[in-house]
Amino acid sequence: MTNTQGGPRKQVHLAAHFPGVNNTTVWSDPRSGSHIEFESFRRFAQIAEGAKFDFLFLAEGLRLREQNGKIYDLDVVGRPDTFGVLTALAAVTQRIGLTGTINSTFNEPYDVARQFATLDHLSGGRAAWNVVTSWDAFTGENFRRGGFLAQDERYGRARSFLSAAAELFDSWNGDEIVADKETGTFLRHGSPGEFSVHDDHFDIEGHFNVPRSPQGRPVIFQAGDSDEGREFAASTADAIFTRHGTLDAGQAFYRDVKRRLAQYGRRHDELLVLPAATFILGDTEAEAQEYAAHVRRQQVSGQTAIKFAEQLWNRDLSSYDPDGPLPSVDPLVGENTIAKGRASVRMNADPVAVANEWRELAEARGLSLRDVVVEKTARQNFIGTAETVATTIDEYVQADASDGFILVPHITPDGLGEFADKVVPILQERGVFRAEYQGTTLRDHLGLTTPAARTRARAGSGAAS
């Protein structure tokens, strides 16, 4: 079987995103469970593993969101610590990868490298790190360093952070521990884990205290669509997490990031492109479309519509009717935003222009404020029967719009079950998705090689006392 370019058909990679705090999750649906209790994470992970997914994905939020000076509680509020959740999941799963988002702005390389190396050991080689930067001073107030970094500094620190972490991951070769009980010799070499990092951001040296892990290094993800983010991913990441939901946008993004690999001496297959995607299934196309419309109204209540509009207009719009017309006043432009801790406010580089686009849409189609928010914030990428959704996913992958998808169900934790039961078997029948895991590590699942350990001269090597 061949793809649209006449080459061998690509295998589809699938991951499951526990959605956390965004309005994608309909927490008020009677079928939704807790987003804090471990039982929800366990069920979600085991459904994904039963379907042979590549990995489970956790996003990050370092401060409760606020709007109009109050805690934003229309979405789920609160998010447990990533390492606590993933470490617990390692004990109740066997094969699925465990991917955590950890910030490079407020953490330190030694701590993060130690946590991920430990997770890789405890899970038998299933750890992955989604490296992100933090952009706002509001979040920075939670940390002792305070404040935040300007955009050009954030990626500079992230590059140094990841380079330092790699130095730590590679500081053990993997052959140091002999643990010979007869001779009383534990270490083959006298100075394992030796590292030294001195640059504009870090001034650290010593010995890393976690021996080389099963994958050598965790799989590295980069999330972000900016030019800096794409360049960062092309230079260092194993996979990039994107938001491109259409075929054309996905293909353009795919071509762009793959093109950037050559300048770093990397091959086309050394960086996977994995967009986030939601799905709605029905027994017929019409039923799926009808249900998708119902879910969108659940995700965007009247209150949510007003709050979303406030994030664009940067004004208090609480007196407006969500089922009425859009505000006639223009958005307030400035660095201070009415919404705190929400990255989406940065996406409207020209709020006045976006507001005008919304007004034109409303006028042309007779839409209310809530209707426009529903239309402009739509997230259902795949809507249809199991057969048509499987076909569309396969088409996107074979047409190089992605290498697979990170799926975000709107019901947590059991919403993934319908996809696992109905869509996965069709992909398996078509030979584009695994029926069984072929390896034990996440790098095995993703077709990635294990980085070579650093070979170092060991002056005065010998058993440690």
Side-chain angles (χ1 to χ4, degrees):
M1 300 178 72
T2 61
N3 63 14
T4 55
Q5 284 77 46
R9 291 178 68 78
K10 294 164 57 179
Q11 288 292 297
V12 174
H13 293 288
L14 292 176
H17 182 181
F18 193 98
V21 299
N22 292 311
N23 78 312
T24 307
T25 302
V26 183
W27 63 266
S28 58
D29 190 292
R31 295 168 296 171
S32 288
S34 169
H35 291 74
I36 307 297
E37 295 173 3
F38 179 65
E39 175 63 10
S40 287
F41 292 99
R42 183 194 66 75
R43 282 164 53 186
F44 189 78
Q46 291 183 342
I47 291 169
E49 185 171 61
K52 316 305 178 191
F53 275 34
D54 294 75
F55 60 93
L56 176 145
F57 184 93
L58 294 182
E60 182 186 58
L62 297 175
R63 182 166 179 172
L64 297 184
R65 293 169 172 170
E66 296 181 13
Q67 191 156 327
N68 307 88
K70 300 178 180 177
I71 298 296
Y72 186 93
D73 66 351
L74 295 178
D75 300 341
V76 172
V77 176
R79 195 193 311 251
D81 174 72
T82 293
F83 282 110
V85 173
L86 294 184
T87 301
L89 288 177
V92 296
T93 55
Q94 287 76 47
R95 294 294 185 89
I96 192 167
L98 302 169
T99 302
T101 302
I102 296 294
N103 195 287
S104 64
T105 303
F106 303 119
N107 292 296
E108 295 297 325
Y110 192 94
D111 293 334
V112 172
R114 188 163 184 266
Q115 290 166 315
F116 271 112
T118 300
L119 179 63
D120 208 41
H121 276 291
L122 293 178
S123 65
R126 296 185 282 137
W129 172 17
N130 179 35
V131 186
V132 297
T133 63
S134 184
W135 59 276
D136 66 323
F138 175 74
T139 300
E141 292 173 355
N142 273 356
F143 297 89
R144 63 177 169 79
R145 286 195 327 115
F148 69 111
L149 297 173
Q151 183 160 337
D152 57 342
E153 294 181 63
R154 285 190 287 118
Y155 277 103
R157 178 180 167 88
R159 288 189 184 87
S160 292
F161 196 112
L162 191 54
S163 176
E167 170 91 4
L168 295 164
F169 291 135
D170 294 345
S171 63
W172 289 69
N173 285 322
D175 62 351
E176 291 89 345
I177 296 177
V178 293
D180 188 329
K181 296 179 181 177
E182 295 296 324
T183 65
T185 302
F186 196 88
L187 291 176
R188 187 186 309 279
H189 307 297
S191 189
E194 188 175 5
F195 69 91
S196 178
V197 178
H198 302 282
D199 60 20
D200 291 341
H201 297 276
F202 305 108
D203 187 16
I204 57 175
E205 61 183 40
H207 294 82
F208 192 47
N209 65 353
V210 184
R212 187 166 176 81
S213 70
Q215 293 189 112
R217 303 176 197 168
V219 174
I220 301 298
F221 281 74
Q222 156 67 22
D225 293 336
S226 67
D227 188 68
E228 294 95 332
R230 296 182 191 202
E231 206 65 30
F232 184 34
S235 65
T236 58
D238 297 305
I240 184 165
F241 177 45
T242 82
R243 296 171 62 92
H244 295 90
T246 67
L247 182 66
D248 290 344
Q251 287 178 315
F253 181 84
Y254 193 97
R255 286 193 300 271
D256 181 68
V257 295
K258 296 278 185 174
R259 172 186 60 77
R260 297 174 189 240
L261 292 169
Q263 64 182 311
Y264 299 104
R266 305 183 68 198
R267 300 191 312 271
H268 184 271
D269 60 353
E270 290 186 274
L271 177 69
L272 300 175
V273 178
L274 300 173
T278 61
F279 61 89
I280 294 291
L281 301 178
D283 290 336
T284 65
E285 298 297 323
E287 181 182 293
Q289 291 293 340
E290 182 179 355
Y291 183 48
H294 169 70
V295 170
R296 289 297 296 140
R297 303 296 281 187
Q298 285 185 299
Q299 292 169 326
V300 183
S301 66
Q303 286 180 298
T304 299
I306 292 294
K307 294 299 184 186
F308 268 59
E310 287 183 343
Q311 290 160 23
L312 173 60
W313 262 264
N314 200 22
R315 293 174 180 268
D316 181 352
L317 302 179
S318 57
S319 63
Y320 281 76
D321 179 0
D323 296 315
L326 276 68
S328 58
V329 296
D330 280 338
L332 292 174
V333 179
E335 293 187 359
N336 292 323
T337 61
I338 198 169
K340 304 292 186 184
R342 187 181 285 274
S344 59
V345 298
R346 296 179 302 153
M347 296 178 183
N348 297 317
D350 188 345
V352 175
V354 175
N356 287 333
E357 289 176 14
W358 285 26
R359 292 182 184 121
E360 291 170 5
L361 175 65
E363 183 176 352
R365 295 175 50 185
L367 302 180
S368 68
L369 171 58
R370 184 183 181 190
D371 293 333
V372 171
V373 174
V374 167
E375 180 86 10
K376 300 301 290 186
T377 62
R379 291 189 174 194
Q380 278 93 2
N381 300 70
F382 302 119
I383 302 171
T385 65
E387 188 76 23
T388 57
V389 167
T391 297
T392 306
I393 288 175
D394 189 23
E395 286 176 350
Y396 272 53
V397 172
Q398 305 310 328
D400 284 344
S402 77
D403 293 304
F405 291 94
I406 299 176
L407 298 171
V408 192
H410 68 278
I411 300 292
T412 304
D414 295 333
L416 193 64
E418 187 178 23
F419 187 96
D421 292 340
K422 296 180 179 178
V423 180
V424 168
I426 298 172
L427 294 171
Q428 291 170 331
E429 289 170 5
R430 297 181 180 189
V432 295
F433 188 68
R434 69 174 67 84
E436 295 294 340
Y437 287 109
Q438 300 301 309
T440 59
T441 71
L442 178 54
R443 288 187 179 276
D444 292 335
H445 306 340
L446 296 174
L448 299 170
T449 59
T450 299
R454 181 182 59 190
T455 300
R456 62 173 66 235
R458 300 179 185 281
S461 63
S465 59

